Amino acid sequence: MLTLIAAIRRKPGMTHSAFLRHLHHVHGPLSAANPLLIRSYVQNHVFDASFGVEGDPAHLTTFGRDSVTELRFDDMGALAATMSHPYSREVIGPDGARFNDLPSALALLTRSEGLVPPPVSGTGTAPVKVLHFVRGAAQLAQDDVVDRWQTAHEQVIAEGGPQAGTVRGWVQHRQVPGAEGALRYFGGTVAVYAGVSALYYGSEEEALAHFPSYERSLRERSDGTGRFWDPSRSFALYSREVTIF
């Protein structure tokens, strides 16, 4: 299973509320009316964000995002067929251009490792999750980055404490190559991130209180092993997950 992840922001002159309203209540139903070969479509509505690291005035990432799209496909063929279909080109694409600031969009294709399955919510409330976009260290190969990243996460969780105990689920989306043309459907450039981790929390308050200390511990492990990621070019988006289909 492949997951296409696109972090987008609103067009100039548009409010965050208007952006989310159109994304959820107009664009979502248009997509659900003809899913083509998409297995699932999830919107992550951003309510807060962080970027770079403490004491780093020269952060090197564009962090402002309003939502993150997740589209899941069986394989590369299903992805290519969906993006080239007339419904995508003539209906979904033109509607996306009404709210998506295309030049700033970031997109990457991933395979997901469900290391701690996310919780199933029966309350009807949208799950809270932090999407951590991790840029790998320049001197390391992709596989080295994601393997060290996973090991560091497991060490942080094993330590215990609130920063570990409040994480209700963790999914690592590992970047894979080969779909650059399809990814440009979202505009902007293809993202050069090693991947994206999704950390699930019980509430917005838990995420805001404990993800920063989790991230600091992860960074300490990175620094102690020769640094596997570049915090100055990475960012985190605090969001509520909305399943469209």
Side-chain angles (χ1 to χ4, degrees):
M1 189 74 71
L2 297 171
T3 304
L4 190 157
I5 298 176
I8 61 178
R9 70 183 183 192
R10 60 191 183 271
K11 291 177 72 69
M14 193 176 207
T15 66
H16 179 69
S17 297
F19 169 91
L20 291 181
R21 186 165 57 249
H22 189 106
L23 177 68
H24 189 184
H25 299 292
V26 177
H27 195 72
L30 280 177
S31 300
N34 189 0
L36 301 173
L37 297 178
I38 303 171
R39 277 302 188 95
S40 69
Y41 173 18
V42 170
Q43 297 175 356
N44 299 283
H45 297 177
V46 174
F47 62 84
D48 212 333
S50 61
F51 59 95
V53 294
E54 296 173 21
D56 178 14
H59 65 86
L60 300 169
T61 185
T62 302
F63 65 93
R65 305 289 153 184
D66 292 286
S67 73
V68 179
T69 293
E70 296 179 64
L71 302 175
R72 293 184 176 86
F73 299 89
D74 285 334
D75 51 36
M76 202 76 77
L79 168 63
T82 296
M83 294 305 170
S84 63
H85 193 278
Y87 191 76
S88 295
R89 290 187 284 104
E90 298 168 10
V91 178
I92 301 300
D95 183 68
R98 294 186 176 96
F99 61 88
N100 176 11
D101 179 39
L102 294 168
S104 67
L106 295 174
L108 65 159
L109 187 65
T110 68
R111 290 192 186 279
S112 304
E113 298 285 341
L115 301 170
V116 179
V120 177
S121 176
T123 64
T125 59
V128 173
K129 70 184 185 188
V130 178
L131 292 157
H132 191 196
F133 285 70
V134 171
R135 176 81 172 261
Q139 74 276 12
L140 294 178
Q142 164 77 7
D143 288 345
D144 288 337
V145 172
V146 294
D147 288 344
R148 293 191 194 186
W149 177 12
Q150 178 179 337
T151 298
H153 165 81
E154 291 170 347
Q155 291 172 346
V156 172
I157 296 300
E159 281 184 349
Q163 66 178 9
T166 53
V167 176
R168 312 299 176 89
W170 187 68
V171 177
Q172 187 186 50
H173 299 279
R174 300 183 172 201
Q175 187 267 344
V176 296
E180 287 73 14
L183 292 174
R184 289 192 178 91
Y185 168 88
F186 286 90
T189 59
V190 176
V192 289
Y193 293 89
V196 182
S197 65
L199 294 94
Y200 289 77
Y201 292 88
S203 67
E204 293 184 8
E205 291 74 21
E206 278 189 358
L208 291 165
H210 299 297
F211 176 79
S213 57
Y214 163 89
E215 190 273 342
R216 281 193 295 273
S217 293
L218 198 69
R219 178 159 33 95
E220 288 168 2
R221 273 147 191 79
S222 176
D223 292 343
T225 57
R227 183 168 287 191
F228 61 83
W229 64 304
D230 183 352
S232 293
R233 289 179 167 86
S234 302
F235 62 96
L237 302 176
Y238 296 71
S239 68
R240 281 201 170 271
E241 182 182 84
V242 177
T243 298
I244 303 301
F245 60 81

